[in-house]
Each structure stands twice: as structure tokens, then as C-alpha cells.
Amino acid sequence: MSKNNKEFPTGKQHVSFSEIKSWKECSWRHKLVHIDKIDMSEPSPFLDFGTAVHEGCETYLKTKKTDKEKLFNDIRVAWDKYGFDNPEWIKKQPAWYLKSSNVGVDRWCEWAENMWNDVPSFLDETFPGWECFEAEEMLYEAVENKDLNFKGYIDGIIKVPKKKGEGYNYWIIDWKTANTYGWRRSKKQDILMTSQLILYKNFWSRKHNIDLKDVRCGFILLKRGAKPGKVCELVTVSVGPKSLERAGKILNNMITSVRRGIFLKNRESCRYCQFKDTKFCT
């Protein structure tokens, strides 16, 4: 192991996209969480719901089946454990939660079922003849000239026959739960958001020695509250030389800045921060 590897401030031999995103949004918050190891996160229905939905989609890719009852039970257990339906818990939530997501656990289960019901036909129509290459594939690839690895878990890779019957295109997909209307155009085009799949594509194609031109990628939005048949939306991510360069620059800048101990507070990222108005960030 190299000297630089030992001395990386997080104490790990790798960086993940979630770390990169955290650093880009606020490098001070990244320091608190990943270097100082301070955890002030609180339970969230969105996290437990998203975990169950992802598990159902992952299982479907692998087996063409989803154990809905098991996953419904997981959701209900989380709601009971953390009291997400408890009036006292709900009363403490911000106004946006009360307007958009203040519903009982039965509604959250209904949303999840609508998602799992729509995924099969959506995949068949969007990716004719698709096959599962892998679900939840781990990446652990060297970052050039940085003595660190890039670590990630890809939700799904499917292979789709090319229209002229000359091999396959490989699709890297990432499931994202969203509100009824999906994402705004600005979010779909945000380089920080798209960098996740840009980096996944770059490192995955290198891992498998597959030409970049044969690898495509996109987010599949699963919309809470959308009508059956309108739940899924594919948000493609274009990966060309410029976007690869920009995503690589974000990754390299993050590693360099963390090594140099540069941690700046981004006051525009405070609204939903767990450290807002605490002793760790005033």
C-alpha cells in the first residue's frame, strides 16, 4: 500500500460517488461525516421506502419475480419501528413533507406495488429482448494517478440486442424514487447528478473491457403517486468526451482537496443539512 493511500483522511482506500456528491455539495459536511465520523442523520420514510423498492427491482432483474409481501412487511416494520405514522413524529416534520408525503403506510405500500407492477412492461417496451447481465454489481477500480480506488454498486446492468443483430448494447441503470412529476429538466441535466452514471460507465467498461460506445446508461425514475402505467420514466445520460472529462475532474478535485485539508462551508446547501444550527456548523 502506498504512503498516500495510508494517509487519505477518511481512513479508507477508496471513494464512492455518495462521498463525491457530499463533498461537492458542501466539503465541510463531507469532513464532518466522512473524516470526523459524526452521524446526526435521522430515520426517514423515504430511505426505508427506497430500500424496499430497490430490493424489489433488483430481485426482478435477477429472477423476473418480486416478493411483494416480504417487502410490504419490511416497509410496515420500519413504519412501526420509527413511528412514521405517529402524530408526534409527523408534527415535527417540515411543511413540504406534510404537503407531499404525509400519508399512511398503506399508501406507501400502494405506491411501491404500482412501481413493481409497472417495471416489467416498462423494461420490455423500452429495452426489447433485454437480459439481466448483473444486478447490484460492485465496482472497485483504481483511480488513475491517485493511489485510491473508486467504489460503487450499480443497481442493474442489462444487455439489449442491437437492432441489426450484431451483438449487444449494455445499459447501466440506476433506480431512483421520485415524486409524482419526476425530475425537473435542470436536475436531469445537472452534471453532479449525471456524474454518477458517467463514472459508473467509465469504470464498468474498463472492468469488463467493453468499448464505451457499446455502453449506455440512464436513471429509471419510479414516481410515487403516479397513475399505473405512468410510474416509470427513463432519463438517459449522454456520455461523451466532454462529460467524461467534467466528471473525472470532479472526482480528481475531490481527492486532491480532501488530501490538502481544504474544507469550505457552502451556505447554499444548508436547508436540508443534518448539521444546520448545531454546534458542528453555526
Side-chain angles (χ1 to χ4, degrees):
M1 187 185 300
S2 72
K3 181 179 179 181
N4 280 340
N5 208 338
K6 288 182 179 179
E7 294 182 350
F8 197 66
T10 63
K12 297 182 292 186
Q13 300 176 36
H14 60 265
V15 295
S16 65
F17 180 75
S18 62
E19 274 190 71
I20 297 168
K21 184 173 184 290
S22 173
W23 170 84
K24 185 66 174 175
E25 291 172 341
C26 179
S27 59
W28 180 256
R29 181 167 67 223
H30 173 271
K31 172 185 178 294
L32 293 175
V33 174
H34 297 282
I35 297 176
D36 298 339
K37 312 299 183 183
I38 299 171
D39 184 6
M40 294 186 65
S41 58
E42 296 182 355
S44 164
F46 297 99
L47 293 178
D48 287 285
F49 175 77
T51 297
V53 168
H54 273 69
E55 183 179 340
C57 292
E58 176 187 340
T59 303
Y60 181 76
L61 285 184
K62 291 179 177 178
T63 67
K64 297 294 181 73
K65 297 179 181 179
T66 299
D67 188 347
K68 297 179 183 178
E69 293 307 316
K70 183 265 183 190
L71 296 170
F72 289 152
N73 184 65
D74 289 346
I75 293 173
R76 294 183 186 280
V77 167
W79 258 244
D80 288 342
K81 179 179 180 180
Y82 299 116
F84 294 144
D85 278 346
N86 188 310
E88 291 301 313
W89 184 90
I90 294 172
K91 189 165 57 176
K92 298 176 183 178
Q93 304 314 303
W96 64 265
Y97 178 83
L98 299 179
K99 290 180 180 179
S100 63
S101 303
N102 180 24
V103 295
V105 66
D106 289 342
R107 180 61 60 85
W108 287 86
C109 288
E110 178 185 328
W111 290 341
E113 184 169 28
N114 288 342
M115 293 173 182
W116 297 321
N117 287 344
D118 273 18
V119 162
S121 58
F122 177 81
L123 290 176
D124 291 343
E125 292 168 7
T126 309
F127 308 106
W130 71 275
E131 300 175 35
C132 178
F133 181 87
E134 187 59 87
E136 196 68 10
E137 179 175 346
M138 179 180 176
L139 292 174
Y140 202 79
E141 301 298 309
V143 180
E144 189 175 2
N145 300 322
K146 292 298 182 182
D147 293 320
L148 282 175
N149 295 304
F150 176 83
K151 181 180 180 179
Y153 289 90
I154 301 176
D155 285 349
I157 302 98
I158 59 176
K159 59 180 186 178
V160 183
K162 294 183 178 180
K163 292 183 179 180
K164 294 184 180 181
E166 301 173 353
Y168 294 91
N169 285 317
Y170 295 84
W171 275 87
I172 292 173
I173 59 175
D174 190 88
W175 310 103
K176 296 289 189 189
T177 55
N179 64 28
T180 307
Y181 305 103
W183 289 353
R184 295 185 178 185
R185 183 178 179 182
S186 59
K187 186 171 183 177
K188 294 177 180 179
Q189 298 176 343
D190 180 12
I191 184 60
L192 183 56
M193 179 61 66
T194 58
S195 285
Q196 178 183 4
L197 293 189
I198 294 170
L199 291 171
Y200 282 0
K201 174 175 175 174
N202 180 54
F203 288 110
W204 186 85
S205 63
R206 182 199 300 178
K207 175 182 177 180
H208 292 279
N209 195 29
I210 295 176
D211 198 308
L212 282 171
K213 68 178 177 60
D214 292 326
V215 184
R216 302 178 183 180
C217 49
F219 298 103
I220 297 182
L221 304 187
L222 304 169
K223 303 174 187 177
R224 298 184 303 273
K227 295 180 179 179
K230 302 291 184 180
V231 171
C232 302
E233 177 187 352
L234 175 65
V235 178
T236 58
V237 175
S238 177
V239 183
K242 289 186 178 180
S243 60
L244 276 171
E245 181 181 357
R246 292 174 69 188
K249 186 175 181 179
I250 292 173
L251 169 60
N252 289 325
N253 286 349
M254 179 266 185
I255 294 172
T256 299
S257 295
V258 172
R259 277 199 168 123
R260 291 179 177 175
I262 301 173
F263 307 111
L264 304 177
K265 296 179 182 179
N266 178 13
R267 295 299 184 184
E268 295 183 359
S269 187
C270 291
R271 185 176 181 184
Y272 300 114
C273 181
Q274 59 188 297
F275 300 108
K276 183 181 179 182
D277 298 327
T278 70
K279 65 180 181 180
F280 302 108
C281 186
T282 56

